[in-house]
Amino acid sequence: MATVVCFVCGNSTSELNVSPLFSRSQRTHHNAPFFPFLEYHDPAPGASPMQDDWSVDACFVCKSILAQQWESFERGRMPIGKRLYWLKRPSGCEIRQPVSQIELEEILNEHSRDNCDDYATDEEDGKSPIPKPQEQHDEPPQIFCYSCAKSDKDHPSMCPVHCQPSYEQLRTGVPYYPTVLDKEPSKGAKVICNSITFLCISCLPKFTPEWHPVQKDFLQQDPTKSVLPRIPLPEVVLCYICGGDVSTKYNVGLVRTSGATGGVTAALTSRKPILGSTPLTFGFTYLCTKCLSAPPFNDKV
């Protein structure tokens, strides 16, 4: 029996366990999942390139993980162009982002042209007139530097910084600054969900940047890289315990597993994770509001 290399993760598997993944919607199955990012990812070493019908060979695990994320995005009515997927890639196989937003838009425009009429009509709901919100004449709130209390009016160069490793930090390809929280916040400064705040450009060098292990691995593989790639992670993930949808924006629902209390760690490691949820090896995971309200998470997250 022949073996096939998965386009996504590079693992070899029996041809009986291989299924196609499509990068474009199919005329005969326009409700089936499709993943545009496949068109700007190189195949894993040993894998066959994309076929003429815009399909690649994928193992059962990769297809299941991506299908779950697709369903989550569909339930949340997330636009195709804004979806970011979590997927496993073999070591040394670079994840190439679109050259520009224009490139991604061209791919999506081709989807619309290739789709059947009824699906194309749906894709055009994004072009339909959207009522514009009433103009706000109130001045925007001021942003204060966490360290020196200067506002963005006094010091226009204000930088958002991540104080903890997270999906949002990985997605944007930036470091995090764990020592920021060792200092008491200045007057007017805010920390969103104990993880995101602002520093002026003068205070930023006072704090040491750290990298998530995923980013460290990338830097070790190619130390000549001066810019980290954006990691294709979703904006909505599955709860580690129940599989419910959890938004990763501002790290709401974030539960740290590195340095966590024994009760939190034991409660997570004793459970079988939901397929597609954030693995504990990341040093953190995400729980929905319902699971966070149960012991021991309601005591200390």
Side-chain angles (χ1 to χ4, degrees), residues 235-250:
E235 294 180 359
V236 177
V237 296
L238 301 182
C239 173
Y240 187 88
I241 294 177
C242 72
D245 290 348
V246 184
S247 171
T248 62
K249 191 173 183 180
Y250 303 132

Side-chain angles (χ1 to χ4, degrees), residues 39-106:
E39 294 185 26
Y40 50 86
H41 277 19
D42 296 327
S48 298
M50 181 172 287
Q51 304 299 311
D52 293 338
D53 63 352
W54 309 107
S55 70
V56 299
D57 294 327
C59 66
F60 173 78
V61 174
C62 286
K63 182 169 184 178
S64 298
I65 291 175
L66 289 173
Q68 283 194 355
Q69 294 176 67
W70 166 275
E71 292 173 1
S72 176
F73 288 136
E74 287 289 284
R75 290 194 298 271
R77 302 181 67 83
M78 176 75 69
I80 297 292
K82 293 186 177 180
R83 299 182 184 187
L84 294 171
Y85 289 88
W86 181 91
L87 67 159
K88 179 182 178 183
R89 292 291 276 170
S91 176
C93 191
E94 183 176 355
I95 298 175
R96 186 175 73 86
Q97 300 298 324
V99 172
S100 66
Q101 182 64 25
I102 295 177
E103 181 184 16
L104 180 56
E105 289 176 356
E106 287 178 350

Side-chain angles (χ1 to χ4, degrees), residues 127-144:
K127 299 178 183 178
S128 60
I130 300 175
K132 294 183 178 180
Q134 295 183 352
E135 293 185 3
Q136 299 293 330
H137 299 287
D138 297 335
E139 291 188 5
Q142 284 184 276
I143 297 174
F144 294 90

